[in-house]
Amino acid sequence: MSDWKVIQGKKLSNGAIRPMVSRIQDGKTIKKRLSHLEAETQEEAREEALRWIIKEEQKTDASFI
């Protein structure tokens, strides 16, 4: 299971939402903007971020094989 969590997206100047995720690493909160993704609403941004988390989990699972 990934330790990434979906957080509220960042609103861009063109009105779109940039999905964001965070995790705690070494006692510090790391926030990551998913710069290659864009959404119209916060709900869409949350879904995009969840898809990104699932892909990251699959990458790490495949690397252990």
Side-chain angles (χ1 to χ4, degrees), residues 16-64:
I17 308 290
R18 175 85 60 216
M20 292 182 68
V21 294
S22 71
R23 71 175 173 180
I24 297 177
Q25 183 176 2
D26 297 331
K28 294 182 182 178
T29 300
I30 308 295
K31 293 181 181 179
K32 179 175 178 84
R33 277 190 210 137
L34 306 177
S35 61
H36 58 285
L37 300 175
E38 234 177 68
E40 298 278 324
T41 64
Q42 284 290 348
E43 186 60 35
E44 288 177 19
R46 182 173 298 280
E47 290 173 11
E48 290 288 332
L50 284 172
R51 284 190 211 119
W52 181 87
I53 290 171
I54 290 169
K55 286 181 185 178
E56 286 297 307
E57 287 177 354
Q58 290 172 347
K59 285 180 191 176
T60 57
D61 290 344
S63 67
F64 289 119

Side-chain angles (χ1 to χ4, degrees), residues 2-15:
S2 174
D3 53 349
W4 287 106
K5 305 287 183 226
V6 177
I7 59 174
Q8 185 171 351
K10 177 92 169 152
K11 189 161 184 160
L12 304 175
S13 61
N14 64 1

